[in-house]
Every structure is written in structure tokens, then in C-alpha cells.
Amino acid sequence: MTMDSKRLIVKGNNVSKILELLSNDIRHYDLQPAEDIYVFMSEKYYFRNNSQLMTCVILKIEDQNNCIIDIVAGGGGQGLFNSSWGAETSRIEEIADEIKDICVDKGWKIDY
């Protein structure tokens, strides 16, 4: 099994509003294990290699103006030839791009 991950640090005025702005595609299953931590999980089926890719987005709200986002994806290489063909990285970048678009729209800064 292949896994990949990426961390984004978002800074800006009222950055905690990002929770409301993430699409349902990312927020398929929501969990809040602590007051300032949110976990969103989703699955995506890939016909090309008959596998399910699971993605987990973990948001830690440091305060109203700082948020740490970890994106983790895995399981995309369990089907044909046990190859993911880069599905994990592609899905992480899709989610990161959505977050970047939100940040541009809101005037928030992203660090890596």
C-alpha cells in the first residue's frame, strides 16, 4: 500500500471559517475528536486499478487566525498490479488546490 501526505499552515483573519468552506467532497465523513481538531474522511474509487483511495484531512485550529491542515491519502494501489499510478499524490493535490483557492478568495496566507 502506498501513502502520501502534505501539511499546510493557513494564517489569516478568521481562518477558522475554513471549516464551513470545504466542499462536501472532502467532508464526506466528519469527526471532531477535540474542541479544536476536526477530521474529514472520504473515499474515491479508481476503476483503472480497481482500488479505493481513502483520504483524511485533519484540521487543528490553533486560534482564530492560525490553522494546521494535514492531508493524508492511502490505499490507491491495492488493485491491479498493486500500483496506485500516483492516485494518492493526485488526490492530495486536488484537496490542497481547493484549500489554496479558498485562501486566495479570503486573503489568507499558506505556508508549507
Side-chain angles (χ1 to χ4, degrees):
M1 175 170 37
T2 307
M3 289 185 81
D4 199 2
S5 66
K6 183 173 200 158
R7 173 170 277 189
L8 305 172
I9 300 169
V10 181
K11 299 178 180 187
N13 192 29
N14 289 321
V15 78
S16 61
K17 296 280 186 193
I18 198 164
L19 294 168
E20 302 163 15
L21 302 172
L22 294 174
S23 73
N24 288 335
D25 181 44
I26 294 172
R27 299 176 60 132
H28 184 75
Y29 176 76
D30 298 4
L31 177 67
Q32 186 178 358
E35 185 176 328
D36 59 347
I37 297 174
Y38 301 84
V39 179
F40 305 121
M41 291 175 269
S42 65
E43 285 186 320
K44 190 170 186 179
Y45 176 73
Y46 286 87
F47 182 75
R48 68 179 179 230
N49 62 352
N50 191 30
S51 66
Q52 287 282 91
L53 176 70
M54 208 280 276
T55 308
C56 182
V57 179
I58 305 161
L59 285 90
K60 179 163 185 354
I61 306 295
E62 299 277 295
D63 56 44
Q64 282 293 101
N65 302 318
N66 296 287
C67 176
I68 298 171
I69 302 173
D70 289 302
I71 309 166
V72 182
Q78 296 177 352
L80 186 63
F81 306 121
N82 200 30
S83 173
S84 72
W85 297 0
E88 294 85 5
T89 302
S90 294
R91 182 67 176 139
I92 287 171
E93 289 306 317
E94 281 177 29
I95 293 170
D97 286 346
E98 179 176 333
I99 293 168
K100 289 174 195 173
D101 290 345
I102 291 169
C103 291
V104 167
D105 185 51
K106 294 296 182 185
W108 298 332
K109 180 183 176 200
I110 297 182
D111 291 329
Y112 300 92

